Amino acid sequence: MAEADEPETAETTDERETTMSRAMVSAIASEMRDSDDVFVMGEDVADYGGIFDSTDGLLDEFGREKIMDVPISETGFIGAAVGAAQAGMRPIAELMFADFFGVGMDQIYNQMAKNTYMSGSTVNVPMVLMTAVGGTYNDAAQHSQTLYGTFAHLPGMKVVVPSTAADAKGLMHTAIRDDDPVVYMFHKRLMGIGWMPAPDGPKTSVPEDDYTIDFGEADVKREGDDVTVVTLGLHVHRALEAAADLTGEIDVEVIDLRTLVPLDTETVLESVRKTGRLVVIDEDYHSFGLSGEIIARATEGALADLSAVRRVTMPDAPIPYARPLEQAVNPGREDIIEAVQAVTE
Amino acid sequence: MISDTELQEMYGWMVTARYYEERLQEEYLEGKQPAFDISAGPIPGELHLAAGQEAAAAGVCSHLDDADTVTAPHRPHHVAIAKGVDLERMTAEIFGRRTGLCKGKGGHMHLFDSAVNFAGSGIIAEGCPPAVGAALAAKKRGEDSVAVAYLGEGAISQGGFLESLNLASVQNLPVLFVIEDNDWAISMPKERVTDIRNGSQRADGFDMPGKRVDYDDACAVYEAAGEAIGRARDGNGPTLLEVQVHRRMGHFMGDAEGYRPEGDSERAKRRDSIERMETTLQKAGIDDDTIGDIRDRSHQRVDDAIEWAKDQPEPEPDEAYDDVFTNPPAGWTPNTKPEQAESTGGDD
Ligand SMILES: Cc1ncc(C[n+]2csc(CCOP(=O)(O)OP(=O)(O)O)c2C)c(N)n1
Ligand SMILES: [Mg+2]
């Protein structure tokens, strides 16, 4: 919020270009206007407006009772969100960086994610755990992870990863209205923060009116016949850039998963049946995670159609600080191009 | 009584730390103007400066030697300097160079110098349990070394801190917990997040001595820390010490501090522990030439370290895949890009 790049304007047009953070905030604000049960808890969510602008402007409209700064106690406040949700409210708890999940993990995976099941659905947990993910700005091993696979692996929570403003808004509406816990993971680099320039893609035209995007519907961000690239978050944009570079050489289809739980296997299979080649791009660790899961589903569902498979991911190593090191491990456009070329050889 | 040598040493650390951060700030902003881009310039990433907090480092570390352990949070430079962390290699680390303390893997929040038992962590309060562990090791081995865990006042609500207090207390371990109270946790003033007036009151619940130094006077810190560390070395267990310090800067570089009330940061700047220390030195009869000399030498040391660091080579990209294990299992790979092992399956 240091230098918010766009003040909210009172335009009354039907659609306007906006950043991902503004789109998220507008969904939260609208849900808060509609329901007294929705409120926000987190570190630096009030005056600061969220370190990554995810709550910027909400304090002015809703005040401190609803936009609550809380002590640095992730176990305490995430667990309190679980309890408030079970009591019928719809809290949005912000975990400042997904990397900090360790501090409050029990409340996340043993309480939030399991109480519905353990209670035989006599209890439900309608909360959103909103959290910032990802690297590319040299914040090193404790502040750069996505952990997509970790959250998606543990049963009982829905996992959402928007890559554009339009998706971010619709998915946020759906997340808040959902009767189950939703982990909403936004990539810092996509937010449109003044001090962390976003690539061109995430700032999109966004309808002014409320709308929802169903979970479990991947979005084909680019159609193509030769290779299926499956990805999410920041790497949707890197994949689109790579696909543009390959125009005329290889016709690349780019699938943005948008939600991991539920996962839209059908869209992936349909594409793979058409192209016969699959490349998964993931900013999470290599082994035992998202990329392996996508490839497993593709082989389970379309083995006969598959001629080649690759994945480009972070390695099985913590994320280094120095620029040349981080650049080496975070999948870049060139890496994506290489992988796409490799499966077409 | 503090000896003249100790006074001068503490002053030296304080001016070194202050000047070091002024220089880092210059370097950090290079390439980040006019538009601030956190990933640009010779020092990318977050940078948390500790200007205004030097007294808390100097007054405590004056009682420590290399065998004693210190864990520091995300704002570590002043403590690292007072603990005797290698300044050149620390600087190279901050510039992301291969000869840095951590080969460019750690960065400024994660500085490790095992020669002086210094370790950092960017996760709030999570340096506390390892400090307790260092104290446990010392006790088990019958050594008289101690461990010091630094944390901010924002960290006193964190489970890792409270659990550490309890464990240190019930095991009677030689640990000192030092809370640097700079009034702010990013944008959150302490009264918004705790009902106790002083962090040192947390000690009460653990039947442990708790002490607060209300102003950032390195000598007052020295006295309080000396008593606590003496008690720890004598086998009489942990202490919680809080020191009022001042946050002269934003939480991190690039923080516009829109949340900070008018005049608050000016007030913080007026209470300057370094000026206070100079007065103390003068009162102790240390002449201005000597004081000026310490300052000049400290500045020179910083300039040299920065010059050296900037000359150091960057790591090679492939080095990103080293150091996951000290003893990599046979056949294990971090799935590096150079030898991406994915098959091109099927028959195409
Ligand atoms: C577990 C965890 N939660 C949140 C953060 C984000 N964070 C970094 S510094 C900070 C404020 C810390 O305040 P304080 O302890 O007073 O230290 P100061 O920054 O004032 O030195 C926060 C919330 C973190 N690093 N780790
Ligand atoms: Mg503080």
Side-chain angles (χ1 to χ4, degrees):
Chain A
M1 92 142 207
E3 294 120 61
D5 82 345
E6 251 205 340
E8 191 156 31
T9 54
E11 281 175 58
T12 47
T13 48
D14 294 333
E15 296 225 348
R16 65 191 170 113
E17 280 271 304
T18 195
T19 59
M20 213 165 91
S21 69
R22 296 313 315 159
M24 285 165 57
V25 167
S26 88
I28 296 171
S30 167
E31 294 295 330
M32 288 184 69
R33 283 177 210 122
D34 287 352
S35 164
D36 275 344
D37 290 331
V38 182
F39 66 100
V40 178
M41 284 202 266
E43 294 154 16
D44 304 284
V45 297
D47 305 73
Y48 204 108
I51 298 300
F52 304 104
D53 289 359
S54 53
T55 58
D56 195 22
L58 293 174
L59 178 66
D60 286 346
E61 181 176 349
F62 299 102
R64 287 193 194 283
E65 292 290 310
K66 295 248 170 174
I67 308 298
M68 296 172 59
D69 269 352
V70 294
I72 308 171
S73 313
E74 284 80 4
T75 293
F77 79 81
I78 293 172
V82 173
Q86 288 173 180
M89 301 199 75
R90 291 185 177 267
I92 301 169
E94 179 170 270
L95 175 65
M96 191 187 290
F97 288 67
D99 311 68
F100 308 159
F101 81 114
V103 174
M105 195 57 184
D106 192 76
Q107 290 300 327
I108 297 169
Y109 92 109
N110 264 332
Q111 319 298 328
M112 180 184 91
K114 291 179 183 165
N115 284 358
T116 300
Y117 186 83
M118 292 193 301
S119 69
S121 289
T122 55
V123 157
N124 72 314
V125 193
M127 65 178 278
V128 178
L129 181 65
M130 170 164 86
T131 189
V133 303
T136 72
Y137 64 102
N138 311 95
D139 217 358
Q142 297 179 335
H143 291 73
S144 302
Q145 302 166 99
T146 65
L147 301 172
Y148 296 139
T150 303
F151 283 87
H153 177 68
L154 298 162
M157 43 193 161
K158 298 173 182 170
V159 179
V160 176
V161 185
S163 73
T164 66
D167 288 351
K169 178 169 167 172
L171 290 167
M172 181 61 85
H173 278 292
T174 310
I176 297 170
R177 293 176 197 180
D178 200 290
D179 289 333
D180 290 313
V182 177
V183 182
Y184 187 104
M185 310 179 93
F186 61 85
H187 199 293
K188 296 160 228 173
R189 180 58 84 186
L190 298 178
M191 292 293 270
I193 310 158
W195 46 273
M196 194 188 295
D200 280 339
K203 190 169 178 179
T204 58
S205 164
V206 174
E208 287 280 302
D209 291 341
D210 293 359
Y211 59 95
T212 55
I213 294 174
D214 287 346
F215 291 169
E217 288 191 4
D219 188 36
V220 179
K221 288 277 192 291
R222 184 188 206 272
E223 287 187 18
D225 289 331
D226 297 335
V227 176
T228 300
V229 170
V230 174
T231 186
L232 73 173
L234 172 66
H235 285 74
V236 168
H237 304 284
R238 292 196 169 171
L240 288 171
E241 286 167 16
D245 283 359
L246 288 164
T247 305
E249 184 190 338
I250 303 169
D251 194 17
V252 180
E253 179 144 303
V254 177
I255 297 179
D256 176 0
L257 290 172
R258 295 202 299 197
T259 66
L260 298 182
V261 180
L263 186 68
D264 182 359
T265 309
E266 206 36 56
T267 297
V268 174
L269 291 181
E270 236 170 71
S271 176
V272 162
R273 285 186 195 117
K274 173 177 68 175
T275 64
R277 303 181 185 92
L278 172 63
V279 173
V280 183
I281 312 293
D282 182 16
E283 197 187 333
D284 198 0
Y285 301 121
H286 186 89
S287 299
F288 308 103
L290 188 148
S291 59
E293 182 61 32
I294 300 296
I295 292 169
R297 298 225 185 176
T299 49
E300 282 165 351
L303 183 60
D305 299 295
L306 267 177
S307 64
V309 173
R310 283 240 161 185
R311 51 178 157 164
V312 186
T313 68
M314 301 293 280
D316 293 325
I319 299 166
Y321 161 68
R323 188 178 288 128
L325 298 180
E326 193 191 7
Q327 273 170 3
V329 297
N330 196 312
R333 173 168 35 174
E334 291 304 317
D335 303 312
I336 301 171
I337 290 174
E338 248 172 59
V340 168
Q341 285 169 334
V343 293
T344 47
E345 264 157 24
Chain B
M1 259 305 281
I2 314 178
S3 72
D4 280 4
T5 321
E6 284 170 320
L7 275 180
Q8 293 184 29
E9 186 179 50
M10 286 197 287
Y11 177 67
W13 290 332
M14 291 170 74
V15 290
T16 301
R18 180 68 61 85
Y19 182 67
Y20 186 67
E21 293 203 330
E22 285 167 7
R23 288 294 322 274
L24 279 191
Q25 190 181 348
E26 281 168 30
E27 298 286 343
Y28 183 81
L29 289 174
E30 197 188 315
K32 296 191 182 70
Q33 280 157 336
F36 187 94
D37 173 353
I38 190 169
S39 39
I43 306 177
E46 289 187 78
L47 187 66
H48 308 83
L49 299 181
Q53 306 193 179
E54 298 87 351
V60 172
C61 293
S62 191
H63 300 283
L64 303 179
D65 58 35
D66 291 354
D68 299 316
T69 292
V70 167
T71 64
H74 55 287
R75 202 179 296 289
H77 304 146
H78 57 318
V79 182
I81 286 168
K83 182 63 172 78
V85 169
D86 185 315
L87 191 65
E88 290 185 335
R89 296 186 58 220
M90 162 172 155
T91 311
E93 184 60 32
I94 293 168
F95 279 89
R97 303 307 165 106
R98 171 198 244 161
T99 48
L101 283 176
C102 318
K103 306 179 197 166
K105 297 211 163 81
H108 107 110
M109 284 191 278
H110 320 104
L111 299 168
F112 291 81
D113 188 351
S114 41
V116 296
N117 293 300
F118 180 91
S121 174
I123 309 296
I124 297 302
E126 294 299 310
C128 296
V132 172
L136 181 66
K139 185 178 171 187
K140 282 190 181 300
R141 291 177 169 153
E143 294 162 0
D144 75 344
S145 58
V146 301
V148 179
Y150 275 87
L151 58 146
E153 91 298 332
I156 66 166
S157 306
Q158 192 64 291
F161 167 61
L162 298 165
E163 293 179 23
S164 295
L165 290 181
N166 190 56
L167 186 56
S169 171
V170 74
Q171 295 284 336
N172 200 41
L173 298 176
V175 197
L176 174 63
F177 300 92
V178 181
I179 303 167
E180 293 181 274
D181 176 5
N182 64 4
D183 296 322
W184 293 95
I186 311 187
S187 70
M188 304 193 297
K190 69 179 165 197
E191 61 277 9
R192 191 175 300 158
V193 289
T194 176
D195 273 348
I196 56 170
R197 250 179 71 76
N198 300 326
S200 54
Q201 291 170 254
R202 288 275 193 261
D204 302 348
F206 301 94
D207 195 22
M208 170 191 305
K211 166 108 184 138
R212 177 176 157 93
V213 176
D214 267 324
Y215 43 97
D216 52 355
D217 174 359
C219 297
V221 176
Y222 177 96
E223 297 295 347
E227 202 186 315
I229 290 170
R231 202 164 38 237
R233 287 202 205 283
D234 291 343
N236 295 321
T239 302
L240 175 59
L241 173 66
E242 179 171 65
V243 182
Q244 178 71 56
V245 293
H246 295 96
R247 199 182 93 187
R248 298 169 71 92
M249 319 278 297
H251 170 74
F252 43 32
M253 293 292 297
D255 175 4
E257 296 192 278
Y259 52 82
R260 208 161 168 178
E262 181 101 11
D264 185 72
S265 81
E266 290 67 31
R267 249 193 314 282
K269 284 182 187 145
R270 276 201 300 278
R271 306 205 183 91
D272 186 0
S273 60
I274 291 187
E275 282 170 23
R276 189 199 288 271
M277 195 62 178
E278 282 166 2
T279 314
T280 307
L281 291 175
Q282 285 158 349
K283 280 192 189 145
I286 297 166
D287 61 49
D288 286 349
D289 281 353
T290 309
I291 296 174
D293 233 38
I294 297 173
R295 205 168 36 228
D296 292 347
R297 270 187 284 119
S298 303
H299 289 193
Q300 191 60 53
R301 191 174 157 229
V302 168
D303 288 334
D304 290 348
I306 290 179
E307 199 184 312
W308 182 82
K310 288 169 71 174
D311 252 9
Q312 296 302 301
E314 293 200 309
E316 292 298 323
D318 281 0
E319 291 167 26
Y321 308 96
D322 301 335
D323 297 313
V324 179
F325 296 115
T326 41
N327 179 23
W332 179 88
T333 75
N335 293 302
T336 65
K337 274 181 219 154
E339 21 180 293
Q340 197 105 66
E342 267 7 278
S343 64
T344 305
D347 45 353
D348 51 329

